[in-house]
Amino acid sequence: KMIALLVNNGFLSFLLMLLFSPLSWSFAGVYERGSQMANPHRECAVRAISDRNEFMQSTIRYAAASLLLSPQPVAAGEIKPISSLQEAVKIISNTCNRRYLYNVVSSNYNFLYYGLDPREAKTPTLQISSPSDLLNPDTYGSDAAASYFAALDRTMAAKKSPILPSNGHLATTCPNAAAEWGIAASVWPIGEKGVNFAWFEDGGLFWPRNQEASKEIIIDGRDCGRISLDDALMGDAWEILFRADKGFVAVPEKFEGELRQRLQSSFTI
C-alpha cells in the first residue's frame, strides 16, 4: 500500500514519507529495546524490526529514483513569447530546420503562414508541442472534414509517410488565407529531426478538396524529382501540411518586412 501511495501521489507522498519515516523508526527502536528486556525470542524480534527498517529505506530509495527518472509531462500547446524580432531571428538562425531555411531562400523568401490566436500575436512566439487538431470535428465545424482527414491519415500511414494529419498542422503560402484562422504568422519549424512537409501535387486546399483535383501527395525529401518544397512555397495559396515535433517559431505578419530584410542579410545561397 505504501508503494502504491508513493507511485500514485508522487512528490507529496515522498515528502510525507520523509517526514514520518524517522518517527516510525523511533517507535521501532522503542519496540526493539522493549523486546530485548521482555521477549525471550529477542533475536526474532530484532530481525523483524531490521527487516522493517530495510523495507522503509528501500521504499524511500524507490520513491526518490522514481521522481528523478520519471519523465515530466510537457504542457500541450505551450507558448513562449519572444522578446523582440531580433531575438526571433537569432532563434531562427540557430535552430530552424536547415532544409526549410534553404527552400525559403531558394523560393526568393516566400513564407509559410499559420493562423494564430490574436492573444498570441503581439510578439513573435515559440509554439511548443502544439497539438494537431485536423482530426477534431470542431476544427472545421464538420464531421465530414474530420472523417476526410482520418481517411487521409490512414492512406498516408499505409505508405509509411513520416508526416500525417494526426501529427501535423496545415499552413498556407497565402497570408490572407491564414488570416481567416486568426492573425497570419510565418512559421519556422525547429530542429533537424521530426520536421516534414507534404502537399498535393497540383497544390490547392486539403479541405475542402476539389473532386477534380489530384489526389497525389508529395512528401518533401522522399518524392525526389517531383515538385520541390521551394516550388510549393511559390504556389498560389497552396496549403502545406507540416510536422514540427519540437515546435516552431511564429512571427506575426506585421513584422514581415523587417523579418525578410534581416533574413536576406543573414542567409545567402
Side-chain angles (χ1 to χ4, degrees):
K1 290 182 179 179
M2 192 175 301
I3 291 176
L5 277 173
L6 284 167
V7 172
N8 292 332
N9 295 324
F11 188 62
L12 178 60
S13 297
F14 177 56
L15 290 179
L16 291 174
M17 181 60 72
L18 286 178
L19 178 65
F20 289 110
S21 290
L23 186 61
S24 300
W25 295 342
S26 297
F27 283 128
V30 172
Y31 177 75
E32 180 180 354
R33 289 191 295 273
S35 298
Q36 290 174 356
M37 292 184 292
N39 193 339
H41 303 290
R42 181 176 60 83
E43 290 184 5
C44 292
V46 171
R47 187 180 302 112
I49 293 167
S50 177
D51 290 344
R52 180 185 177 188
N53 287 345
E54 184 178 348
F55 168 76
M56 297 289 287
Q57 293 174 31
S58 64
T59 299
I60 291 176
R61 285 195 298 268
Y62 171 83
S66 296
L67 288 170
L68 291 172
L69 298 177
S70 297
Q72 299 301 309
V74 177
E78 183 181 356
I79 300 167
K80 294 184 177 180
I82 299 174
S83 59
S84 66
L85 179 62
Q86 182 177 358
E87 182 64 20
V89 172
K90 182 178 179 181
I91 295 173
I92 291 170
S93 299
N94 293 335
T95 67
C96 184
N97 181 268
R98 309 316 287 182
R99 182 179 179 84
Y100 179 69
L101 275 178
Y102 176 89
N103 279 278
V104 168
V105 175
S106 182
S107 71
N108 195 25
Y109 294 90
N110 281 274
F111 296 165
L112 195 56
Y113 301 92
Y114 185 77
L116 292 180
D117 185 315
R119 294 171 294 181
E120 304 168 13
K122 295 178 181 179
T123 66
T125 54
L126 187 58
Q127 306 273 334
I128 304 173
S129 303
S130 183
S132 177
D133 59 3
L134 294 175
L135 275 61
N136 186 341
D138 293 337
T139 300
Y140 284 87
S142 166
D143 290 333
S147 297
Y148 167 81
F149 281 110
L152 182 61
D153 196 271
R154 292 191 295 271
T155 299
M156 294 177 70
K159 296 180 179 179
K160 309 296 184 183
S161 171
I163 180 169
L164 306 166
S166 58
N167 66 17
H169 306 275
L170 270 184
T172 174
T173 58
C174 176
N176 291 334
E180 295 179 6
W181 295 88
I183 302 298
S186 58
V187 297
W188 305 89
I190 293 172
E192 299 308 305
K193 294 182 178 180
V195 176
N196 303 97
F197 302 88
W199 57 91
F200 281 103
E201 135 180 277
D202 58 354
L205 303 178
F206 272 72
W207 177 266
R209 187 72 182 159
N210 189 320
Q211 292 295 324
E212 299 177 358
S214 172
K215 301 299 188 290
E216 288 295 318
I217 291 182
I218 305 293
I219 308 298
D220 180 53
R222 198 173 79 169
D223 295 324
C224 299
R226 302 172 74 179
I227 301 172
S228 61
L229 179 56
D230 57 338
D231 291 327
L233 288 171
M234 291 186 283
D236 182 17
W238 282 25
E239 285 189 337
I240 297 178
L241 184 67
F242 76 96
R243 174 184 175 183
D245 290 356
K246 293 183 180 180
F248 56 91
V249 175
V251 181
E253 188 187 10
K254 65 182 179 181
F255 297 106
E256 183 167 313
E258 186 179 353
L259 173 62
R260 184 173 278 106
Q261 184 178 11
R262 286 179 177 272
L263 290 176
Q264 287 173 337
S265 64
S266 300
F267 301 105
T268 57
I269 297 181

